[in-house]
Amino acid sequence: ATRSRAHKKCTVIGGSGFLGQHLVQKLLEKGFTVNILDVRKTFDKQGVQFFTADLCSKEDVLPAFQDVSVVFHCASPAPSSDNRELFYKVNYTGTKTIIEACKEAGVQKLVLTSSASVVFEGTDLKNGSEDLPYAEKPIDYYSQTKILQEKEVLRANNPDENFMTVAIRPHGIFGPQDPHLVPVLVQAAKSGKMEFMIGDGKNLVDFTYVDNVVHGLILAAENLHPNSPICGKAYHITNDEPIPF
Ligand code: NAD
């Protein structure tokens, strides 16, 4: 009984955020009990235990990983922040701390929310596959630290030691409670910044509905076992066709 209870417990790092909250809701519906590790607490829910802590502190992270089989990593400073030091500290150094904490606590699976921007060099990509190399010149420092982060997580994959990792790469995520994408577009439109067109108006961009990202994260976790071909791999996730932006 202890084993199956442990199997049904997971931790969502960044569970107070936009994607994290949707993921937590779905995990609860699927019968998991959920720990949330986040620097802020945005809601209260039955079946959820909050650990209000910075993911960079292993000491504070470890209690949130006890008896947990899966850790979902959905935390990052906002891409719009221009704090390089913070991006490096949280996305890169902090992720290394999470990997160490997973191993110490005996967590078997780590599912990372990466970003499609890790392969974006600034020119249109249509049907870009996972065979694309990491961007040599990422478009911003946020993306650069998402590359460092993803490499670290995938390199840590070690099924022989019963520790398995996988990464899901969405691009722009939209849906209820989105704090980033749509509000920023609306604000830009209101302040008259949408009157200009960059390029020929046929630039492509990829948006994914938040439930599809959640679905991808949960499928990844469910299919991550020692003999699975998804171990140590990254997967793009999208709705369907990219749309003109
Ligand atoms: P969000 O800002 O809504 O949520 C991120 C959460 O992480 C917040 O609740 C924040 O408090 C928490 N957090 C930040 N730093 C932390 C720290 N040091 N310790 C603990 N918690 C910390 O962002 P989101 O849109 O939900 O993004 C989730 C993940 O998805 C991120 O990894 C992001 O890089 C990735 N992603 C998002 C998009 C998008 O369009 N929103 C696209 C691609 C990838």
Side-chain angles (χ1 to χ4, degrees), residues 13-20 37-40 53-56 73-78 90 113-116 142 146 149 170-173 178-181:
I13 307 172
S16 293
F18 166 46
L19 175 63
L37 178 84
D38 201 301
V39 279
R40 56 189 187 131
D54 188 328
L55 65 86
C56 298
H73 184 354
C74 309
S76 168
V90 176
T113 309
S114 180
S115 168
Y142 160 78
K146 292 297 278 186
Q149 170 187 61
H171 186 241
I173 307 173
D178 151 35
H180 303 297
L181 186 67

PDB file of all heavy atoms in Angstrom, residues 13-20 37-40 53-56 73-78 90 113-116 142 146 149 170-173 178-181, ligand 1:
ATOM      1  N   ILE A  13       6.961  21.760  -9.397  1.00  0.00           N
ATOM      2  CA  ILE A  13       7.749  22.960  -9.100  1.00  0.00           C
ATOM      3  C   ILE A  13       7.212  24.069 -10.003  1.00  0.00           C
ATOM      4  O   ILE A  13       7.118  23.891 -11.218  1.00  0.00           O
ATOM      5  CB  ILE A  13       9.253  22.722  -9.388  1.00  0.00           C
ATOM      6  CG1 ILE A  13       9.733  21.468  -8.663  1.00  0.00           C
ATOM      7  CG2 ILE A  13      10.074  23.938  -8.991  1.00  0.00           C
ATOM      8  CD1 ILE A  13      11.145  21.056  -9.060  1.00  0.00           C
ATOM      9  N   GLY A  14       6.836  25.182  -9.404  1.00  0.00           N
ATOM     10  CA  GLY A  14       6.164  26.232 -10.172  1.00  0.00           C
ATOM     11  C   GLY A  14       4.658  25.991 -10.238  1.00  0.00           C
ATOM     12  O   GLY A  14       3.983  26.504 -11.126  1.00  0.00           O
ATOM     13  N   GLY A  15       4.146  25.215  -9.287  1.00  0.00           N
ATOM     14  CA  GLY A  15       2.718  24.854  -9.292  1.00  0.00           C
ATOM     15  C   GLY A  15       1.774  26.003  -9.013  1.00  0.00           C
ATOM     16  O   GLY A  15       0.563  25.865  -9.190  1.00  0.00           O
ATOM     17  N   SER A  16       2.318  27.161  -8.590  1.00  0.00           N
ATOM     18  CA  SER A  16       1.457  28.337  -8.398  1.00  0.00           C
ATOM     19  C   SER A  16       1.329  29.149  -9.679  1.00  0.00           C
ATOM     20  O   SER A  16       0.586  30.128  -9.719  1.00  0.00           O
ATOM     21  CB  SER A  16       2.035  29.247  -7.303  1.00  0.00           C
ATOM     22  OG  SER A  16       1.970  28.599  -6.069  1.00  0.00           O
ATOM     23  N   GLY A  17       2.070  28.779 -10.694  1.00  0.00           N
ATOM     24  CA  GLY A  17       2.082  29.549 -11.942  1.00  0.00           C
ATOM     25  C   GLY A  17       0.974  29.146 -12.894  1.00  0.00           C
ATOM     26  O   GLY A  17       0.126  28.305 -12.579  1.00  0.00           O
ATOM     27  N   PHE A  18       0.990  29.742 -14.065  1.00  0.00           N
ATOM     28  CA  PHE A  18      -0.035  29.521 -15.090  1.00  0.00           C
ATOM     29  C   PHE A  18      -0.104  28.045 -15.502  1.00  0.00           C
ATOM     30  O   PHE A  18      -1.101  27.349 -15.270  1.00  0.00           O
ATOM     31  CB  PHE A  18       0.296  30.432 -16.283  1.00  0.00           C
ATOM     32  CG  PHE A  18      -0.434  30.139 -17.558  1.00  0.00           C
ATOM     33  CD1 PHE A  18      -1.811  29.910 -17.562  1.00  0.00           C
ATOM     34  CD2 PHE A  18       0.253  30.121 -18.766  1.00  0.00           C
ATOM     35  CE1 PHE A  18      -2.486  29.656 -18.756  1.00  0.00           C
ATOM     36  CE2 PHE A  18      -0.419  29.872 -19.956  1.00  0.00           C
ATOM     37  CZ  PHE A  18      -1.779  29.630 -19.950  1.00  0.00           C
ATOM     38  N   LEU A  19       0.945  27.535 -16.072  1.00  0.00           N
ATOM     39  CA  LEU A  19       0.960  26.129 -16.506  1.00  0.00           C
ATOM     40  C   LEU A  19       0.845  25.198 -15.301  1.00  0.00           C
ATOM     41  O   LEU A  19       0.087  24.216 -15.331  1.00  0.00           O
ATOM     42  CB  LEU A  19       2.255  25.851 -17.287  1.00  0.00           C
ATOM     43  CG  LEU A  19       2.476  24.391 -17.700  1.00  0.00           C
ATOM     44  CD1 LEU A  19       1.382  23.915 -18.653  1.00  0.00           C
ATOM     45  CD2 LEU A  19       3.857  24.231 -18.354  1.00  0.00           C
ATOM     46  N   GLY A  20       1.606  25.511 -14.249  1.00  0.00           N
ATOM     47  CA  GLY A  20       1.637  24.659 -13.066  1.00  0.00           C
ATOM     48  C   GLY A  20       0.250  24.432 -12.478  1.00  0.00           C
ATOM     49  O   GLY A  20      -0.107  23.300 -12.141  1.00  0.00           O
ATOM     50  N   LEU A  37       5.911  23.147  -5.039  1.00  0.00           N
ATOM     51  CA  LEU A  37       7.083  23.894  -4.580  1.00  0.00           C
ATOM     52  C   LEU A  37       7.134  25.178  -5.396  1.00  0.00           C
ATOM     53  O   LEU A  37       7.286  25.128  -6.624  1.00  0.00           O
ATOM     54  CB  LEU A  37       8.346  23.064  -4.814  1.00  0.00           C
ATOM     55  CG  LEU A  37       9.629  23.780  -4.422  1.00  0.00           C
ATOM     56  CD1 LEU A  37       9.898  23.628  -2.941  1.00  0.00           C
ATOM     57  CD2 LEU A  37      10.807  23.253  -5.205  1.00  0.00           C
ATOM     58  N   ASP A  38       6.958  26.295  -4.730  1.00  0.00           N
ATOM     59  CA  ASP A  38       6.941  27.573  -5.448  1.00  0.00           C
ATOM     60  C   ASP A  38       7.321  28.681  -4.470  1.00  0.00           C
ATOM     61  O   ASP A  38       7.090  28.543  -3.275  1.00  0.00           O
ATOM     62  CB  ASP A  38       5.525  27.828  -6.028  1.00  0.00           C
ATOM     63  CG  ASP A  38       5.532  28.827  -7.180  1.00  0.00           C
ATOM     64  OD1 ASP A  38       5.979  29.977  -6.974  1.00  0.00           O
ATOM     65  OD2 ASP A  38       5.101  28.459  -8.287  1.00  0.00           O
ATOM     66  N   VAL A  39       7.872  29.762  -4.983  1.00  0.00           N
ATOM     67  CA  VAL A  39       8.218  30.881  -4.100  1.00  0.00           C
ATOM     68  C   VAL A  39       6.977  31.633  -3.632  1.00  0.00           C
ATOM     69  O   VAL A  39       7.025  32.406  -2.690  1.00  0.00           O
ATOM     70  CB  VAL A  39       9.191  31.902  -4.752  1.00  0.00           C
ATOM     71  CG1 VAL A  39      10.617  31.403  -4.680  1.00  0.00           C
ATOM     72  CG2 VAL A  39       8.780  32.221  -6.178  1.00  0.00           C
ATOM     73  N   ARG A  40       5.852  31.420  -4.343  1.00  0.00           N
ATOM     74  CA  ARG A  40       4.618  32.090  -3.907  1.00  0.00           C
ATOM     75  C   ARG A  40       3.483  31.074  -3.846  1.00  0.00           C
ATOM     76  O   ARG A  40       3.525  30.044  -4.532  1.00  0.00           O
ATOM     77  CB  ARG A  40       4.270  33.255  -4.849  1.00  0.00           C
ATOM     78  CG  ARG A  40       4.153  32.778  -6.269  1.00  0.00           C
ATOM     79  CD  ARG A  40       4.027  33.864  -7.309  1.00  0.00           C
ATOM     80  NE  ARG A  40       3.766  33.175  -8.574  1.00  0.00           N
ATOM     81  CZ  ARG A  40       2.801  33.493  -9.416  1.00  0.00           C
ATOM     82  NH1 ARG A  40       2.036  34.520  -9.195  1.00  0.00           N
ATOM     83  NH2 ARG A  40       2.616  32.775 -10.516  1.00  0.00           N
ATOM     84  N   ALA A  53       9.018  27.793  -1.129  1.00  0.00           N
ATOM     85  CA  ALA A  53      10.483  27.821  -1.060  1.00  0.00           C
ATOM     86  C   ALA A  53      11.072  28.122  -2.435  1.00  0.00           C
ATOM     87  O   ALA A  53      10.413  27.963  -3.463  1.00  0.00           O
ATOM     88  CB  ALA A  53      10.999  26.467  -0.574  1.00  0.00           C
ATOM     89  N   ASP A  54      12.325  28.533  -2.398  1.00  0.00           N
ATOM     90  CA  ASP A  54      13.076  28.789  -3.627  1.00  0.00           C
ATOM     91  C   ASP A  54      13.691  27.460  -4.081  1.00  0.00           C
ATOM     92  O   ASP A  54      14.345  26.778  -3.295  1.00  0.00           O
ATOM     93  CB  ASP A  54      14.184  29.809  -3.313  1.00  0.00           C
ATOM     94  CG  ASP A  54      14.887  30.291  -4.568  1.00  0.00           C
ATOM     95  OD1 ASP A  54      15.004  29.517  -5.545  1.00  0.00           O
ATOM     96  OD2 ASP A  54      15.334  31.451  -4.568  1.00  0.00           O
ATOM     97  N   LEU A  55      13.498  27.128  -5.358  1.00  0.00           N
ATOM     98  CA  LEU A  55      14.018  25.847  -5.873  1.00  0.00           C
ATOM     99  C   LEU A  55      15.539  25.801  -5.840  1.00  0.00           C
ATOM    100  O   LEU A  55      16.139  24.738  -6.034  1.00  0.00           O
ATOM    101  CB  LEU A  55      13.481  25.583  -7.291  1.00  0.00           C
ATOM    102  CG  LEU A  55      13.878  26.515  -8.436  1.00  0.00           C
ATOM    103  CD1 LEU A  55      15.206  26.100  -9.066  1.00  0.00           C
ATOM    104  CD2 LEU A  55      12.812  26.531  -9.499  1.00  0.00           C
ATOM    105  N   CYS A  56      16.186  26.932  -5.630  1.00  0.00           N
ATOM    106  CA  CYS A  56      17.650  26.957  -5.611  1.00  0.00           C
ATOM    107  C   CYS A  56      18.225  26.418  -4.299  1.00  0.00           C
ATOM    108  O   CYS A  56      19.433  26.183  -4.211  1.00  0.00           O
ATOM    109  CB  CYS A  56      18.160  28.376  -5.827  1.00  0.00           C
ATOM    110  SG  CYS A  56      17.667  29.038  -7.428  1.00  0.00           S
ATOM    111  N   HIS A  73       8.916  19.924 -13.435  1.00  0.00           N
ATOM    112  CA  HIS A  73       9.595  21.216 -13.250  1.00  0.00           C
ATOM    113  C   HIS A  73       8.969  22.240 -14.209  1.00  0.00           C
ATOM    114  O   HIS A  73       9.205  22.208 -15.415  1.00  0.00           O
ATOM    115  CB  HIS A  73      11.085  21.022 -13.542  1.00  0.00           C
ATOM    116  CG  HIS A  73      11.923  22.250 -13.310  1.00  0.00           C
ATOM    117  ND1 HIS A  73      11.398  23.481 -12.989  1.00  0.00           N
ATOM    118  CD2 HIS A  73      13.273  22.427 -13.361  1.00  0.00           C
ATOM    119  CE1 HIS A  73      12.380  24.363 -12.853  1.00  0.00           C
ATOM    120  NE2 HIS A  73      13.528  23.731 -13.073  1.00  0.00           N
ATOM    121  N   CYS A  74       8.151  23.126 -13.640  1.00  0.00           N
ATOM    122  CA  CYS A  74       7.444  24.155 -14.439  1.00  0.00           C
ATOM    123  C   CYS A  74       7.715  25.548 -13.900  1.00  0.00           C
ATOM    124  O   CYS A  74       6.819  26.402 -13.923  1.00  0.00           O
ATOM    125  CB  CYS A  74       5.932  23.936 -14.404  1.00  0.00           C
ATOM    126  SG  CYS A  74       5.369  22.305 -14.807  1.00  0.00           S
ATOM    127  N   ALA A  75       8.901  25.799 -13.378  1.00  0.00           N
ATOM    128  CA  ALA A  75       9.184  27.121 -12.808  1.00  0.00           C
ATOM    129  C   ALA A  75      10.268  27.822 -13.603  1.00  0.00           C
ATOM    130  O   ALA A  75      11.209  27.195 -14.085  1.00  0.00           O
ATOM    131  CB  ALA A  75       9.626  26.982 -11.355  1.00  0.00           C
ATOM    132  N   SER A  76      10.110  29.123 -13.733  1.00  0.00           N
ATOM    133  CA  SER A  76      11.135  29.941 -14.377  1.00  0.00           C
ATOM    134  C   SER A  76      10.841  31.395 -14.041  1.00  0.00           C
ATOM    135  O   SER A  76       9.682  31.754 -13.851  1.00  0.00           O
ATOM    136  CB  SER A  76      11.077  29.762 -15.907  1.00  0.00           C
ATOM    137  OG  SER A  76      11.880  30.742 -16.552  1.00  0.00           O
ATOM    138  N   PRO A  77      11.874  32.235 -13.978  1.00  0.00           N
ATOM    139  CA  PRO A  77      11.565  33.668 -13.948  1.00  0.00           C
ATOM    140  C   PRO A  77      10.837  34.022 -15.248  1.00  0.00           C
ATOM    141  O   PRO A  77      11.048  33.357 -16.270  1.00  0.00           O
ATOM    142  CB  PRO A  77      12.949  34.327 -13.904  1.00  0.00           C
ATOM    143  CG  PRO A  77      13.896  33.255 -13.462  1.00  0.00           C
ATOM    144  CD  PRO A  77      13.318  31.963 -13.955  1.00  0.00           C
ATOM    145  N   ALA A  78       9.977  35.026 -15.223  1.00  0.00           N
ATOM    146  CA  ALA A  78       9.231  35.412 -16.427  1.00  0.00           C
ATOM    147  C   ALA A  78      10.208  35.767 -17.549  1.00  0.00           C
ATOM    148  O   ALA A  78      11.204  36.461 -17.302  1.00  0.00           O
ATOM    149  CB  ALA A  78       8.326  36.592 -16.121  1.00  0.00           C
ATOM    150  N   VAL A  90      18.287  30.542 -11.418  1.00  0.00           N
ATOM    151  CA  VAL A  90      17.096  29.700 -11.275  1.00  0.00           C
ATOM    152  C   VAL A  90      17.079  28.599 -12.347  1.00  0.00           C
ATOM    153  O   VAL A  90      16.951  27.414 -12.030  1.00  0.00           O
ATOM    154  CB  VAL A  90      15.798  30.548 -11.343  1.00  0.00           C
ATOM    155  CG1 VAL A  90      14.569  29.643 -11.292  1.00  0.00           C
ATOM    156  CG2 VAL A  90      15.777  31.556 -10.208  1.00  0.00           C
ATOM    157  N   THR A 113       9.600  21.182 -18.196  1.00  0.00           N
ATOM    158  CA  THR A 113       8.984  22.044 -19.206  1.00  0.00           C
ATOM    159  C   THR A 113      10.097  22.908 -19.778  1.00  0.00           C
ATOM    160  O   THR A 113      10.561  23.853 -19.144  1.00  0.00           O
ATOM    161  CB  THR A 113       7.881  22.941 -18.617  1.00  0.00           C
ATOM    162  OG1 THR A 113       6.993  22.125 -17.873  1.00  0.00           O
ATOM    163  CG2 THR A 113       7.116  23.625 -19.733  1.00  0.00           C
ATOM    164  N   SER A 114      10.538  22.534 -20.957  1.00  0.00           N
ATOM    165  CA  SER A 114      11.571  23.303 -21.637  1.00  0.00           C
ATOM    166  C   SER A 114      10.872  24.335 -22.528  1.00  0.00           C
ATOM    167  O   SER A 114       9.778  24.818 -22.191  1.00  0.00           O
ATOM    168  CB  SER A 114      12.450  22.337 -22.438  1.00  0.00           C
ATOM    169  OG  SER A 114      13.452  23.032 -23.113  1.00  0.00           O
ATOM    170  N   SER A 115      11.435  24.650 -23.657  1.00  0.00           N
ATOM    171  CA  SER A 115      10.802  25.618 -24.555  1.00  0.00           C
ATOM    172  C   SER A 115      11.274  25.350 -25.976  1.00  0.00           C
ATOM    173  O   SER A 115      12.430  24.984 -26.186  1.00  0.00           O
ATOM    174  CB  SER A 115      11.209  27.029 -24.147  1.00  0.00           C
ATOM    175  OG  SER A 115      10.827  27.944 -25.156  1.00  0.00           O
ATOM    176  N   ALA A 116      10.371  25.570 -26.936  1.00  0.00           N
ATOM    177  CA  ALA A 116      10.765  25.392 -28.339  1.00  0.00           C
ATOM    178  C   ALA A 116      11.833  26.415 -28.730  1.00  0.00           C
ATOM    179  O   ALA A 116      12.536  26.237 -29.730  1.00  0.00           O
ATOM    180  CB  ALA A 116       9.544  25.504 -29.244  1.00  0.00           C
ATOM    181  N   TYR A 142      17.075  34.356 -21.709  1.00  0.00           N
ATOM    182  CA  TYR A 142      16.134  33.365 -21.164  1.00  0.00           C
ATOM    183  C   TYR A 142      16.293  32.043 -21.924  1.00  0.00           C
ATOM    184  O   TYR A 142      16.460  30.982 -21.324  1.00  0.00           O
ATOM    185  CB  TYR A 142      14.707  33.917 -21.293  1.00  0.00           C
ATOM    186  CG  TYR A 142      13.596  32.895 -21.233  1.00  0.00           C
ATOM    187  CD1 TYR A 142      13.174  32.362 -20.018  1.00  0.00           C
ATOM    188  CD2 TYR A 142      12.953  32.466 -22.402  1.00  0.00           C
ATOM    189  CE1 TYR A 142      12.147  31.431 -19.964  1.00  0.00           C
ATOM    190  CE2 TYR A 142      11.922  31.541 -22.364  1.00  0.00           C
ATOM    191  CZ  TYR A 142      11.527  31.026 -21.142  1.00  0.00           C
ATOM    192  OH  TYR A 142      10.516  30.093 -21.099  1.00  0.00           O
ATOM    193  N   LYS A 146      17.431  28.266 -20.891  1.00  0.00           N
ATOM    194  CA  LYS A 146      16.568  27.097 -21.100  1.00  0.00           C
ATOM    195  C   LYS A 146      17.366  25.985 -21.798  1.00  0.00           C
ATOM    196  O   LYS A 146      17.153  24.807 -21.543  1.00  0.00           O
ATOM    197  CB  LYS A 146      15.314  27.452 -21.918  1.00  0.00           C
ATOM    198  CG  LYS A 146      14.306  28.370 -21.234  1.00  0.00           C
ATOM    199  CD  LYS A 146      13.676  27.774 -19.961  1.00  0.00           C
ATOM    200  CE  LYS A 146      12.524  26.825 -20.209  1.00  0.00           C
ATOM    201  NZ  LYS A 146      11.875  26.417 -18.913  1.00  0.00           N
ATOM    202  N   GLN A 149      19.604  24.435 -19.162  1.00  0.00           N
ATOM    203  CA  GLN A 149      18.745  23.666 -18.268  1.00  0.00           C
ATOM    204  C   GLN A 149      18.358  22.327 -18.889  1.00  0.00           C
ATOM    205  O   GLN A 149      18.474  21.272 -18.267  1.00  0.00           O
ATOM    206  CB  GLN A 149      17.479  24.495 -18.002  1.00  0.00           C
ATOM    207  CG  GLN A 149      16.377  23.769 -17.281  1.00  0.00           C
ATOM    208  CD  GLN A 149      15.103  24.605 -17.206  1.00  0.00           C
ATOM    209  OE1 GLN A 149      14.528  24.972 -18.220  1.00  0.00           O
ATOM    210  NE2 GLN A 149      14.673  24.899 -15.990  1.00  0.00           N
ATOM    211  N   PRO A 170       7.086  23.332 -25.362  1.00  0.00           N
ATOM    212  CA  PRO A 170       6.040  24.151 -25.985  1.00  0.00           C
ATOM    213  C   PRO A 170       6.634  25.471 -26.484  1.00  0.00           C
ATOM    214  O   PRO A 170       7.763  25.823 -26.114  1.00  0.00           O
ATOM    215  CB  PRO A 170       5.074  24.424 -24.830  1.00  0.00           C
ATOM    216  CG  PRO A 170       5.899  24.305 -23.586  1.00  0.00           C
ATOM    217  CD  PRO A 170       7.114  23.463 -23.903  1.00  0.00           C
ATOM    218  N   HIS A 171       5.883  26.179 -27.316  1.00  0.00           N
ATOM    219  CA  HIS A 171       6.268  27.569 -27.577  1.00  0.00           C
ATOM    220  C   HIS A 171       5.291  28.422 -26.785  1.00  0.00           C
ATOM    221  O   HIS A 171       5.141  28.226 -25.592  1.00  0.00           O
ATOM    222  CB  HIS A 171       6.310  27.865 -29.081  1.00  0.00           C
ATOM    223  CG  HIS A 171       6.846  29.235 -29.340  1.00  0.00           C
ATOM    224  ND1 HIS A 171       6.137  30.215 -29.967  1.00  0.00           N
ATOM    225  CD2 HIS A 171       8.019  29.792 -28.977  1.00  0.00           C
ATOM    226  CE1 HIS A 171       6.854  31.329 -29.983  1.00  0.00           C
ATOM    227  NE2 HIS A 171       8.001  31.103 -29.391  1.00  0.00           N
ATOM    228  N   GLY A 172       4.613  29.379 -27.407  1.00  0.00           N
ATOM    229  CA  GLY A 172       3.695  30.234 -26.648  1.00  0.00           C
ATOM    230  C   GLY A 172       2.512  29.435 -26.131  1.00  0.00           C
ATOM    231  O   GLY A 172       1.881  28.703 -26.885  1.00  0.00           O
ATOM    232  N   ILE A 173       2.212  29.574 -24.843  1.00  0.00           N
ATOM    233  CA  ILE A 173       1.086  28.840 -24.259  1.00  0.00           C
ATOM    234  C   ILE A 173      -0.055  29.822 -24.008  1.00  0.00           C
ATOM    235  O   ILE A 173       0.172  30.916 -23.483  1.00  0.00           O
ATOM    236  CB  ILE A 173       1.478  28.178 -22.927  1.00  0.00           C
ATOM    237  CG1 ILE A 173       2.737  27.318 -23.097  1.00  0.00           C
ATOM    238  CG2 ILE A 173       0.336  27.336 -22.391  1.00  0.00           C
ATOM    239  CD1 ILE A 173       3.296  26.763 -21.788  1.00  0.00           C
ATOM    240  N   ASP A 178      -3.698  32.913 -18.296  1.00  0.00           N
ATOM    241  CA  ASP A 178      -2.390  33.204 -18.901  1.00  0.00           C
ATOM    242  C   ASP A 178      -1.944  34.615 -18.493  1.00  0.00           C
ATOM    243  O   ASP A 178      -2.626  35.582 -18.806  1.00  0.00           O
ATOM    244  CB  ASP A 178      -2.540  33.066 -20.431  1.00  0.00           C
ATOM    245  CG  ASP A 178      -1.586  33.955 -21.210  1.00  0.00           C
ATOM    246  OD1 ASP A 178      -0.440  34.166 -20.751  1.00  0.00           O
ATOM    247  OD2 ASP A 178      -1.982  34.420 -22.296  1.00  0.00           O
ATOM    248  N   PRO A 179      -0.797  34.729 -17.792  1.00  0.00           N
ATOM    249  CA  PRO A 179      -0.364  36.062 -17.367  1.00  0.00           C
ATOM    250  C   PRO A 179       0.577  36.741 -18.363  1.00  0.00           C
ATOM    251  O   PRO A 179       0.881  37.908 -18.225  1.00  0.00           O
ATOM    252  CB  PRO A 179       0.403  35.760 -16.076  1.00  0.00           C
ATOM    253  CG  PRO A 179       1.009  34.405 -16.336  1.00  0.00           C
ATOM    254  CD  PRO A 179       0.094  33.676 -17.280  1.00  0.00           C
ATOM    255  N   HIS A 180       1.054  35.988 -19.350  1.00  0.00           N
ATOM    256  CA  HIS A 180       2.137  36.474 -20.192  1.00  0.00           C
ATOM    257  C   HIS A 180       1.675  36.893 -21.587  1.00  0.00           C
ATOM    258  O   HIS A 180       1.719  38.060 -21.960  1.00  0.00           O
ATOM    259  CB  HIS A 180       3.225  35.404 -20.367  1.00  0.00           C
ATOM    260  CG  HIS A 180       3.795  34.910 -19.072  1.00  0.00           C
ATOM    261  ND1 HIS A 180       4.482  35.719 -18.201  1.00  0.00           N
ATOM    262  CD2 HIS A 180       3.784  33.681 -18.499  1.00  0.00           C
ATOM    263  CE1 HIS A 180       4.867  35.014 -17.161  1.00  0.00           C
ATOM    264  NE2 HIS A 180       4.452  33.769 -17.311  1.00  0.00           N
ATOM    265  N   LEU A 181       1.219  35.897 -22.346  1.00  0.00           N
ATOM    266  CA  LEU A 181       1.058  36.084 -23.779  1.00  0.00           C
ATOM    267  C   LEU A 181      -0.062  37.045 -24.162  1.00  0.00           C
ATOM    268  O   LEU A 181       0.196  38.151 -24.675  1.00  0.00           O
ATOM    269  CB  LEU A 181       0.818  34.693 -24.398  1.00  0.00           C
ATOM    270  CG  LEU A 181       0.765  34.601 -25.898  1.00  0.00           C
ATOM    271  CD1 LEU A 181       2.127  34.906 -26.477  1.00  0.00           C
ATOM    272  CD2 LEU A 181       0.325  33.195 -26.316  1.00  0.00           C
TER     273      LEU A 181
HETATM  274  P1  NAD B   1       4.507  31.477 -14.650  1.00  0.00           P
HETATM  275  O1  NAD B   1       5.338  32.706 -14.465  1.00  0.00           O
HETATM  276  O2  NAD B   1       3.026  31.630 -14.674  1.00  0.00           O
HETATM  277  O3  NAD B   1       4.873  30.396 -13.555  1.00  0.00           O
HETATM  278  C1  NAD B   1       6.177  30.135 -13.126  1.00  0.00           C
HETATM  279  C2  NAD B   1       6.140  29.841 -11.629  1.00  0.00           C
HETATM  280  O4  NAD B   1       7.480  29.574 -11.197  1.00  0.00           O
HETATM  281  C3  NAD B   1       5.625  31.017 -10.788  1.00  0.00           C
HETATM  282  O5  NAD B   1       4.548  30.603  -9.949  1.00  0.00           O
HETATM  283  C4  NAD B   1       6.841  31.431  -9.975  1.00  0.00           C
HETATM  284  O6  NAD B   1       6.510  31.913  -8.671  1.00  0.00           O
HETATM  285  C5  NAD B   1       7.634  30.136  -9.919  1.00  0.00           C
HETATM  286  N1  NAD B   1       9.056  30.379  -9.656  1.00  0.00           N
HETATM  287  C6  NAD B   1       9.885  31.262 -10.286  1.00  0.00           C
HETATM  288  N2  NAD B   1      11.099  31.210  -9.751  1.00  0.00           N
HETATM  289  C7  NAD B   1      11.073  30.274  -8.766  1.00  0.00           C
HETATM  290  C8  NAD B   1      12.044  29.785  -7.845  1.00  0.00           C
HETATM  291  N3  NAD B   1      13.291  30.273  -7.813  1.00  0.00           N
HETATM  292  N4  NAD B   1      11.684  28.816  -6.976  1.00  0.00           N
HETATM  293  C9  NAD B   1      10.402  28.329  -6.968  1.00  0.00           C
HETATM  294  N5  NAD B   1       9.439  28.770  -7.815  1.00  0.00           N
HETATM  295  C10 NAD B   1       9.777  29.733  -8.706  1.00  0.00           C
HETATM  296  O7  NAD B   1       5.044  30.805 -16.011  1.00  0.00           O
HETATM  297  P2  NAD B   1       4.392  29.657 -16.920  1.00  0.00           P
HETATM  298  O8  NAD B   1       3.904  30.291 -18.162  1.00  0.00           O
HETATM  299  O9  NAD B   1       3.466  28.824 -16.121  1.00  0.00           O
HETATM  300  O10 NAD B   1       5.693  28.822 -17.302  1.00  0.00           O
HETATM  301  C11 NAD B   1       5.957  27.528 -16.782  1.00  0.00           C
HETATM  302  C12 NAD B   1       7.134  26.894 -17.523  1.00  0.00           C
HETATM  303  O11 NAD B   1       6.815  26.775 -18.904  1.00  0.00           O
HETATM  304  C13 NAD B   1       8.448  27.668 -17.451  1.00  0.00           C
HETATM  305  O12 NAD B   1       9.509  26.743 -17.297  1.00  0.00           O
HETATM  306  C14 NAD B   1       8.562  28.324 -18.806  1.00  0.00           C
HETATM  307  O13 NAD B   1       9.905  28.491 -19.181  1.00  0.00           O
HETATM  308  C15 NAD B   1       7.869  27.301 -19.685  1.00  0.00           C
HETATM  309  N6  NAD B   1       7.303  27.854 -20.921  1.00  0.00           N
HETATM  310  C16 NAD B   1       6.274  28.750 -20.872  1.00  0.00           C
HETATM  311  C17 NAD B   1       5.738  29.251 -22.056  1.00  0.00           C
HETATM  312  C18 NAD B   1       4.576  30.232 -22.049  1.00  0.00           C
HETATM  313  O14 NAD B   1       4.180  30.702 -23.129  1.00  0.00           O
HETATM  314  N7  NAD B   1       3.982  30.553 -20.906  1.00  0.00           N
HETATM  315  C19 NAD B   1       6.255  28.821 -23.286  1.00  0.00           C
HETATM  316  C20 NAD B   1       7.314  27.903 -23.306  1.00  0.00           C
HETATM  317  C21 NAD B   1       7.832  27.419 -22.114  1.00  0.00           C
END
